[in-house]
DNA sequence: TTGTATGCGTTATCAC
DNA sequence: GTGATAACGCATACAA
């Protein structure tokens, strides 16, 4: 059984138009040196026959697939999905195709997909989560990315520390988390807890750093058992919050390093019969699509998804076109104040 | 600037091994007719050089890309994401690549992606949501799918009514929704409302049909203003429930045609100060990943994601391999009883 | 068992 | 302005 039957080639068009394949190709690629007369004749036949050039053959010849590979850790996190959507749209607008690979945060699968996609001649990679996020990538991983980047450009979104030959497009997470801390201070909170996902991730450790920095600067004292780390799931957020709620002294506010954790944290608080924000204020990070739907709606940070995605894609295109490009692009985020924070009770 | 520099071809390997490219090709494709001696020599060099055959060239020659295109309506619905994940994994296991396209429920974008992917020589399409779900697809759409299916096989997941030359893998939504109704009856509910997403969708209208059928059969009477339709968003679910709650007579239970709507419905109920399930029982459909995390955890239907995805992919592979295949595969779903339903108050 | 020649569909380089 | 031809990298039919 053979696929793609009855497909029309450039030769079919050429024959019908009484010209050579070369001329048809020139028409397709909008070259000047073809007379208006033949151009129109060829174009008419192309339309009639619904002819579409074979991208595979083009790719083989041009060594350009007009396809970008996006390796994403998971589609369960709405934040990642947002980036995928934006990247896809941006690609689509410029005639590119986005090839999405799901890595499940498995480094082996990442390697496999990297190779599979490379064999398919993608013009570049965007990495989102997974190894991109490693705070201390090991030598092997660095070597692999190094080798890969000899073939095609690689862009990390929110990460990429330590990969010298790669490009980076990052949200200014430090400044964003700083604005959360400042906001909590401005509400009057001095006793602030922190719930994080996995440590040794860029996304996590930066926030921990800012958290500690802020408390020290304000001399509010750092209570180590108010910092609880788990992983980025709802269940884990719940468990972490339960741990905090079991302390003798309780904080009046708890910051979470993403919204998913915040969902879990809120659940735990409500289960104890406590109220948000009256008894404890909660903050998140990412502004996932349901953050506004929580009860109460969550105060969080909205990353500039479309800019992140656009710059990532743009970086690859510019690289291909031989343009000057920045190694590192930092993008501002925005504090979204909703109802999950209030002043602490006396 | 040129991409994919320094890449090794089958000729490089051939030269190094002192054989012809044909022999290398035979080694790569595990043909018998090559002596153990040369096979080992060639394999050694392939390893040393980290040679990987160019999939684009292979595709051009074989007319098989070992790539399947999955057109999905949106990645914001966790149900769709589940299917994507399962399909990706299944493809990966059999050496295929899944090309995911996001259609945003826009028929034009669907057409565009269909063509883009076809030009990239995908070996088949899986359609999820979007036009697949149309209860009454128009002539134009049918014609397009008809034409497309002359080139490559097309499989619809949960839909595909009216597309004669396409394949279908569906959850038995009718039976599943029937089990929800029966369950509510068994709890003692006789006054049951219904919240749906867009009408004229396969996914919606089947459930409405079953809903009405059940009420009639039990002679509980059909209260038309307990049936409210919106779209498949949280906000819409909330609005629909608010409408129901504004009626003079209230139902004791409300079934929602998916979990997203149920989230919104629950929000509305809680906002009115009512309790779930004491004051009103709620059911969903899909068992999205947070359904167990709602307050209270949602009683819903779990579709067999992995079977749906596996059969969809399998259908395409079998078609390519010229095997006998079923036009229509129906897969059972499972009622997941949690805490969002109880017996009605007297 | 192995090598040669050819084609897959397109584009670029030459000629004319 | 247009056409023949080679090349992209691989795999097959055929020859040896």
């Amino acid at each position: 059984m053979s696929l793609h039957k009855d497909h029309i080639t450039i030769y079919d068009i050429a024959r019908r138009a009484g010209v050579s394949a070369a001329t048809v190709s020139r028409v397709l690629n909008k070259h000047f040196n073809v007379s208006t007369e033949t151009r129109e004749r060829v174009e008419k036949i192309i339309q009639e026959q619904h002819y579409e050039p074979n991208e595979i053959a083009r790719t083989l010849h041009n060594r350009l697939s007009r396809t970008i590979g996006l390796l994403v850790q998971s589609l369960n996190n709405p934040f990642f999905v947002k980036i995928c959507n934006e990247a896809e749209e941006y690609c689509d607008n410029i005639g590119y195709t986005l090839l999405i690979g799901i890595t499940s945060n498995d480094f082996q699968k990442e390697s496999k997909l990297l190779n599979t996609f490379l064999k398919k001649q993608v013009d570049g990679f965007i990495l989102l989560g997974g190894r991109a996020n490693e705070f201390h990538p090991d030598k092997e991983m660095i070597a692999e990315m190094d080798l890969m980047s000899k073939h095609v450009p690689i862009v990390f979104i929110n990460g990429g520390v330590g990969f010298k030959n790669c490009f980076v497009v990052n949200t200014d997470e430090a400044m964003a988390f700083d604005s959360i801390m400042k906001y909590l201070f401005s509400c009057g909170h001095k006793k602030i807890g922190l719930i994080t996902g996995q440590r040794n991730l860029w996304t996590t450790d930066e926030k921990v750093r800012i958290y500690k920095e802020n408390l020290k600067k304000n001399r509010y004292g750092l209570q180590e058992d108010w910092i609880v780390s788990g992983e980025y799931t709802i269940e884990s957020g719940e468990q972490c919050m339960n741990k905090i709620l079991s302390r003798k002294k309780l904080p009046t506010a708890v910051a979470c390093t993403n919204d998913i954790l915040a969902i879990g944290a809120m659940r735990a608080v409500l289960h104890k019969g406590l109220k948000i924000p009256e008894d404890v204020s909660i903050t998140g990070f990412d502004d996932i699509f349901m953050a506004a739907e929580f009860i109460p709606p969550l105060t969080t940070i909205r990353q500039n998804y479309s800019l992140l995605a656009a710059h990532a894609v743009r970086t690859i295109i510019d690289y291909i076109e031989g343009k000057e490009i920045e190694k590192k692009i930092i993008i501002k985020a925005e504090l979204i104040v909703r109802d999950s924070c209030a002043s602490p009770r006396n």
Side-chain angles (χ1 to χ4, degrees), chain A:
Chain A
M1 172 124 322
S2 93
L3 246 34
H4 300 280
K5 298 173 277 200
D6 312 323
H7 62 290
I8 304 165
T9 76
I10 203 169
Y11 280 97
D12 297 320
I13 303 299
R15 190 164 14 83
R16 282 194 143 87
V19 296
S20 76
T23 299
V24 178
S25 177
R26 282 190 272 261
V27 171
L28 286 171
N29 296 288
K30 309 206 186 303
H31 289 192
F32 314 107
N33 42 359
V34 47
S35 75
T36 323
E37 186 194 12
T38 52
R39 148 161 293 121
E40 282 169 357
R41 183 152 38 96
V42 170
E43 276 172 346
K44 187 162 163 252
I45 296 184
I46 288 177
Q47 293 234 334
E48 282 173 6
Q49 302 293 318
H50 299 106
Y51 165 72
E52 299 270 12
N54 181 329
E55 284 293 331
I56 296 294
R58 278 189 159 167
T59 299
L60 182 60
H61 183 275
N62 297 337
R63 295 149 161 279
L64 263 192
S65 61
R66 290 197 298 180
T67 301
I68 290 174
L70 170 57
L71 265 44
V72 58
Q73 174 177 338
S74 146
L75 294 180
N76 287 330
N77 185 333
F79 165 68
F80 291 140
V81 170
K82 275 259 192 186
I83 299 282
C84 289
N85 271 314
E86 296 287 346
E88 204 269 346
E89 194 156 330
Y90 192 93
C91 282
D92 196 46
N93 282 335
I94 59 174
Y96 266 69
T97 301
L98 189 71
L99 186 50
I100 299 174
I102 306 162
T103 65
S104 309
N105 208 16
D106 170 349
F107 293 151
Q108 290 207 320
K109 177 100 195 250
E110 273 186 354
S111 290
K112 189 176 175 188
L113 283 172
L114 239 19
N115 280 301
T116 307
F117 284 12
L118 192 68
K119 285 196 277 187
K120 285 193 183 295
Q121 305 261 114
V122 296
D123 297 342
F125 282 106
I126 298 174
L127 268 68
L128 186 56
R131 71 179 57 183
N133 214 347
E134 285 291 295
F135 207 78
H136 302 294
D138 62 34
K139 313 249 177 293
E140 221 171 309
M141 237 188 280
I142 293 180
E144 187 180 20
M145 299 319 290
D146 227 57
L147 184 62
M148 203 60 71
S149 65
K150 291 220 170 29
H151 298 295
V152 293
I154 299 174
V155 180
F156 294 93
I157 292 183
N158 285 358
V161 198
F163 298 101
K164 288 298 173 200
N165 289 314
C166 304
F167 304 92
V168 166
V169 180
N170 281 359
T171 286
D172 193 340
E173 299 199 76
M175 181 186 269
F177 204 76
D178 196 69
S179 71
I180 286 203
M181 294 301 292
K182 297 278 194 294
Y183 173 69
L184 288 174
F185 291 154
S186 78
C187 291
H189 293 281
K190 300 185 174 183
K191 301 189 279 183
I192 301 173
L194 179 69
I195 292 178
T196 89
Q198 293 91 328
R199 301 299 292 263
N200 287 321
L201 297 184
W202 179 242
T203 300
T204 307
D205 289 9
E206 270 293 279
K207 290 167 189 152
V208 175
R209 183 174 69 78
I210 296 296
Y211 168 83
K212 292 186 172 172
E213 224 175 79
N214 266 281
L215 290 181
K216 271 183 207 153
K217 216 181 300 172
N218 284 279
R219 303 174 176 282
Y220 290 158
L222 189 63
Q223 185 127 353
E224 284 288 350
D225 68 355
W226 284 349
I227 306 177
V228 183
S229 296
E231 46 185 21
Y232 286 107
T233 64
I234 298 178
E235 298 76 27
S236 183
E238 190 169 3
Q239 289 162 13
C240 291
M241 182 54 104
N242 278 327
K243 277 189 196 156
I244 291 180
L245 293 177
S246 72
R247 310 301 186 210
K248 285 175 199 158
K249 286 185 171 184
L250 296 188
T252 58
V254 175
C256 303
T257 58
N258 84 359
D259 289 353
I260 303 277
L261 289 171
I263 300 182
M266 289 169 85
R267 261 179 73 85
V269 172
L270 296 177
H271 261 188
K272 292 275 186 209
L274 298 175
K275 289 195 169 176
I276 304 169
E278 292 83 352
D279 296 310
V280 51
S281 293
I282 302 273
T283 65
F285 201 104
D286 283 347
D287 192 30
I288 63 175
F289 76 103
M290 3 174 80
E293 312 291 339
F294 296 164
I295 304 176
L298 187 65
T299 289
T300 186
I301 293 288
R302 178 184 299 160
Q303 302 193 43
N304 195 329
Y305 311 103
S306 64
L307 259 191
L308 282 169
H311 272 115
V313 175
R314 198 67 244 168
T315 296
I316 291 174
I317 308 289
D318 286 350
Y319 179 93
I320 295 169
E321 295 178 348
K323 291 188 190 155
E324 211 40 52
I325 38 183
E326 294 180 61
K327 272 277 181 196
K328 189 169 185 171
I329 297 174
I330 302 294
I331 294 175
K332 287 208 171 57
E334 183 187 1
L335 177 68
I336 304 289
V337 175
R338 296 205 182 90
D339 307 333
S340 65
C341 298
S343 297
R345 288 185 167 159
N346 300 337

